[in-house]
Amino acid sequence: MIIWPRVIYALSCLGSETEQGIFEQVLKGELDFESEPWPNISESAKDLVRKMLVRDPKTRLTAHEVLCEYAYH
């Protein structure tokens, strides 16, 4: 499973059309899961994106954790 291309795709769906806008949303923790395509995305996928975007690196999921906990769901 390739993680980062999926994360980049997920970030592109956060409601901003520019890279800078996505960056600002992530920094502020303003994740818009109400706009398309998010209503059609599973809660577990949204949960994964939230956990991968935690600002504190000590509590953020590592790539290993993502692979171990989410790769086969």
Side-chain angles (χ1 to χ4, degrees):
M1 175 180 193
I2 299 172
I3 297 170
W4 293 114
R6 293 177 187 211
V7 172
I8 292 168
Y9 171 75
L11 292 176
S12 71
C13 298
L14 290 176
S16 180
E17 294 185 16
T18 67
E19 212 172 292
Q20 182 64 31
I22 293 168
F23 181 73
E24 289 173 9
Q25 282 181 309
V26 170
L27 282 179
K28 293 176 184 176
E30 296 175 355
L31 306 178
D32 175 16
F33 290 123
E34 303 299 319
S35 301
E36 288 297 327
W38 292 104
N40 300 317
I41 308 264
S42 71
E43 287 303 315
S44 62
K46 291 181 224 180
D47 184 55
L48 173 60
V49 171
R50 282 184 198 99
K51 290 177 178 177
M52 292 177 73
L53 295 178
V54 169
R55 292 179 68 183
D56 181 358
K58 293 177 183 173
T59 58
R60 181 186 315 133
L61 286 180
T62 65
H64 183 273
E65 290 169 327
V66 171
L67 289 173
C68 289
E69 296 177 28
Y70 292 90
Y72 301 107
H73 290 215

